[in-house]
Amino acid sequence: MTDPAVRGRELSRSFGLLALLGALLVVAGLVGLVYTGVATLTSMILFGWLLLIGGLVGLLHAIQSRGTNFFWLGVVVAALNIAAGVVVIRHPHGTVEALTMFAALLFLTGGVFRLVGSVVVRGPQFGWTLLQGAFGLLLGLLVLFDWPHSSLYVLGLFFSLALLFDGLGLIAIGVGGRRIVSLVSDQQTVSEELPDKP
């Protein structure tokens, strides 16, 4: 059986590594916010490689499951992923422009649906939903009116913000986890030092 003190140290070290990973993500997010153009191209190239690797893995899986009903579906999906990955890697600028346009249209449609839904339903979250809809509509219009120039920074900005907030979340979990492990270890030490009652 593992000694509780050893287990506590292992847990504390694991939470410390989690906080360190969070700090690295925060630094990467801050760097990305400063160099949004580089972050945009980096995110596109990573996205392309993920599509390519995912397509190759899917193709291997389809080949292993040949003879089943889903063989051809797996081959087609894998081939589409591989083709999309190659296109994204070879033409990251064009892909960025297309995805930025798609993001702008998503913001616009989402904003319009939230605005209309909040006015029609008038539920308990009316004000909040109305604000979300207006913000989505405004963001979509800003990105769309500045397109294709906005494609140089929009996706990199979102990517960097995602890294930043994920990093802050990991830091919070790591620091909080270490604090809890420390409190539990201190409580256990105190209870072991107290004399047993007869």
Side-chain angles (χ1 to χ4, degrees):
M1 190 171 179
T2 310
D3 183 18
V6 173
R7 183 69 181 139
R9 282 194 295 272
E10 288 175 357
L11 277 173
S12 183
R13 191 177 306 118
S14 297
F15 281 119
L17 289 174
L18 204 61
L20 178 63
L21 176 62
L24 291 174
L25 288 180
V26 166
V27 170
L30 291 174
V31 170
L33 287 175
V34 174
Y35 302 103
T36 51
V38 175
T40 298
L41 284 179
T42 303
S43 64
M44 280 301 96
I45 291 169
L46 285 174
F47 180 57
W49 278 106
L50 284 174
L51 283 172
L52 187 60
I53 292 168
L56 291 172
V57 170
L59 186 61
L60 288 174
H61 182 68
I63 290 170
Q64 288 176 347
S65 62
R66 63 183 174 272
T68 64
N69 295 334
F70 302 107
F71 169 71
W72 287 110
L73 178 63
V75 169
V76 169
V77 170
L80 288 173
N81 280 338
I82 291 170
V86 169
V87 168
V88 171
I89 292 169
R90 289 191 60 166
H91 306 286
H93 293 284
T95 306
V96 165
E97 289 181 3
L99 286 177
T100 304
M101 173 66 80
F102 182 67
L105 294 175
L106 277 181
F107 288 134
L108 281 173
T109 54
V112 168
F113 276 115
R114 280 198 177 98
L115 281 173
V116 171
S118 65
V119 170
V120 170
V121 176
R122 289 191 177 271
Q125 300 291 327
F126 169 72
W128 181 248
T129 309
L130 193 69
L131 184 65
Q132 280 182 317
F135 180 73
L137 187 63
L138 179 65
L139 190 58
L141 289 172
L142 286 174
V143 172
L144 195 60
F145 287 152
D146 197 29
W147 189 85
H149 181 260
S150 60
S151 62
L152 297 174
Y153 60 85
V154 167
L155 295 180
L157 180 68
F158 292 159
F159 181 64
S160 301
L161 286 173
L163 286 177
L164 180 64
F165 287 118
D166 285 348
L168 289 173
L170 287 177
I171 290 173
I173 292 170
V175 171
R178 283 187 70 133
R179 189 170 294 144
I180 290 170
V181 169
S182 175
L183 287 172
V184 170
S185 298
D186 291 345
Q187 185 66 30
Q188 188 173 10
T189 305
V190 168
S191 64
E192 286 175 356
E193 289 174 355
L194 288 175
D196 294 333
K197 292 184 180 180

